[in-house]
Amino acid sequence: MAGFRTLDDIGAVSGKRVLVRVDLNVPVADGKVTDITRIERIAPTIAELSGKGAKVILLAHFGRPKDGPTAEFSLEPIAKATSEVLGRPVGFASDCVGDKAADAVGAMKDGDVLLFENTRFHKAEEKNEPSFTDKLAANGDIYVNDAFSAAHRAHASTEGLARRLPAYAGRTMQAELDALEKGLGNPVRPVVAIVGGAKVSTKIDLLMNLVKKVDALVIGGGMANTFLAARGTNVGKSLCEHDLAGTAKQIMIEAAESGCAIVLPADGVVAKEFKAGAASETVAISDVPADGMILDVGEKTVKSVNDWIDRAATLVWNGPLGAFEIEPFDRATVAAAKHAAARTKEGKLVSVAGGGDTVAALNHAGVADDFTYVSTAGGAFLEWMEGKPLPGVEVLKR
Ligand code: 3PG
Ligand code: MG
């Protein structure tokens, strides 16, 4: 990555205190971490720094605590989970600034790994207050950011610190930026984007940006209904934001002006109720019954999506094509995901996917490992797709 300072530029770290911002905002149920992907992703940076004799101090947030420290939002259980995943001891300090933090750092030996308590237990973190950043910086000689998924936040631990200390991108941040550059920054053409999910309203900026950058935009999921309705297609009882018809039309006009093909469903799998195993039929998109709901795209549409994937050199994917969480409405998403994975494996496609539901959908299809890159970022991935500068990334630029 020519544009960013990385661990290749960091120099000797032996004996140095390296503050590493990581994303440990992992899903937890009944006190157990249910998905360790984010923890696995930070392992290479920690191993590299520790192996070179650095004192590795991890900074992270957990949830969105409002009123200072609470057990519910403590990172202490996550320190244990991190230690298990990394297969090495990970110490814990019950505050990220002040005496408790300083004492724990003072007791570290070269190569040790320590996690500080939730940075968001201090309101000043999210306000990016300089005096708080100074307190964080007091425990470090060098700053490394390995949390792309929190880089859309201009907080003290994601942005402020990079201005205070010599700052570098960690290996996961580097891989992420590299993949995103291949996806939309400087992609091999043609570029096809698949965007799905429930609502247009949450993705207007993203769609507006994409139509200017990609050669074809496949729209699936509930949001496709808003486009279909705007075009005059009857979508029955389907999820649809009728009030956004004007926005949808505007996006289609922008696409036409930029030479971006818009690919809308040609057929749909419709049901009368939204539940697993509900009776369903596939109909042409012009024949949706008045009391029917479109819950997935049909086979004809899948064929057309797969044809676009065949034509593409680069694929960017955010959001499922149907209600993939319930069967049988996962079929189109699974089929297209498998097709993209196969093309990627054949070396014919660069495939980059991200966003919360997308990762779950690709895992459900069993192909997340076969994509070129799957981002664990939710909001940060969307903001990147919207073409917005991410504060935590901007400060790492040379
Ligand atoms: C995430 O989980 O998307 C990141 O950790 C950012 O969390 P936030 O949305 O609470 O800032
Ligand atoms: Mg989020």
Side-chain angles (χ1 to χ4, degrees):
M1 285 298 304
F4 299 87
R5 293 182 300 267
T6 72
L7 296 190
D8 295 326
D9 307 303
I10 204 168
V13 293
S14 183
K16 297 223 171 112
R17 300 165 305 162
V18 184
L19 290 168
V20 185
R21 181 50 159 103
V22 292
D23 192 345
L24 291 175
N25 200 26
V26 292
V28 173
D30 297 329
K32 282 235 167 278
V33 176
T34 55
D35 183 349
I36 60 169
T37 314
R38 281 183 170 173
I39 306 181
E40 288 174 331
R41 294 273 173 104
I42 60 174
T45 293
I46 295 171
E48 182 170 342
L49 291 170
S50 161
K52 288 182 175 161
K55 293 171 178 156
V56 183
I57 304 154
L58 307 177
L59 288 171
H61 74 280
F62 184 57
R64 293 174 180 170
K66 289 278 163 278
D67 314 300
T70 57
E72 185 193 353
F73 292 115
S74 174
L75 274 170
E76 193 161 12
I78 315 281
K80 285 198 200 87
T82 304
S83 168
E84 277 160 29
V85 174
L86 300 181
R88 62 183 307 150
V90 173
F92 182 74
S94 57
D95 200 352
C96 63
V97 291
D99 288 346
K100 283 175 191 149
D103 291 350
V105 171
M108 290 177 86
K109 295 190 215 52
D110 293 358
D112 278 359
V113 181
L114 173 74
L115 172 64
F116 277 168
E117 180 61 286
N118 197 341
T119 51
R120 288 188 185 171
F121 281 170
H122 296 269
K123 283 203 166 68
E125 154 75 344
E126 293 181 61
K127 292 187 188 139
N128 202 354
E129 270 174 27
S131 59
F132 179 69
T133 308
D134 285 341
K135 289 184 200 162
L136 286 174
N139 286 308
D141 305 303
I142 297 171
Y143 171 74
V144 169
N145 191 348
D146 213 18
F148 173 83
S149 43
H152 55 319
R153 308 292 181 210
H155 296 172
S157 70
T158 59
E159 201 268 356
L161 269 178
R163 300 179 183 280
R164 236 9 143 270
L165 297 172
Y168 305 89
R171 293 302 180 198
T172 288
M173 173 74 91
Q174 182 183 353
E176 187 99 31
L177 295 175
D178 216 9
L180 298 188
E181 181 68 12
K182 280 189 197 139
L184 280 186
N186 192 15
V188 183
R189 291 194 178 268
V191 186
V192 172
I194 298 178
V195 178
K199 290 181 170 180
V200 172
S201 50
T202 57
K203 295 190 182 173
I204 296 171
D205 291 352
L206 181 153
L207 295 166
M208 284 289 190
N209 184 48
L210 284 182
V211 292
K212 290 183 203 121
K213 290 202 167 152
V214 305
D215 301 293
L217 171 63
V218 175
I219 302 175
M223 63 164 51
N225 304 333
T226 301
F227 282 85
L228 292 168
R231 206 183 60 176
T233 303
N234 178 8
V235 296
K237 285 218 169 91
S238 306
L239 179 70
C240 181
E241 293 167 288
H242 290 284
D243 54 325
L244 286 181
T247 305
K249 279 186 194 154
Q250 193 54 41
I251 290 167
M252 291 191 273
I253 291 168
E254 294 275 342
E257 281 172 2
S258 308
C260 167
I262 296 270
V263 184
L264 288 173
D267 55 355
V269 182
V270 297
K272 295 204 167 36
E273 43 184 357
F274 180 61
K275 68 170 203 207
S280 61
E281 57 172 338
T282 301
V283 298
I285 215 65
S286 51
D287 295 336
V288 175
D291 59 350
M293 278 182 291
I294 309 167
L295 294 180
D296 197 7
V297 303
E299 272 165 39
K300 254 196 201 148
T301 307
V302 171
K303 167 92 177 56
S304 136
V305 173
N306 286 353
D307 286 347
W308 277 106
I309 292 173
D310 288 342
R311 266 171 259 164
T314 304
L315 175 70
V316 183
W317 190 332
N318 170 264
L321 294 173
F324 81 98
E325 316 89 329
I326 59 171
E327 283 175 6
F329 309 108
D330 57 340
R331 278 194 199 142
T333 303
V334 168
K338 285 192 168 156
H339 190 68
R343 293 287 294 178
T344 307
K345 274 213 227 166
E346 286 166 21
K348 293 185 172 129
L349 184 69
V350 171
S351 52
V352 179
D357 272 0
T358 317
V359 181
L362 296 184
N363 279 331
H364 174 70
V367 297
D369 290 343
D370 297 330
F371 270 56
T372 309
Y373 195 83
V374 177
S375 173
T376 64
F381 189 83
L382 293 184
E383 290 197 23
W384 165 76
M385 279 185 107
E386 289 165 1
K388 293 184 181 151
L390 307 181
V393 169
E394 291 303 306
V395 278
L396 299 176
K397 287 188 176 163
R398 284 179 198 279

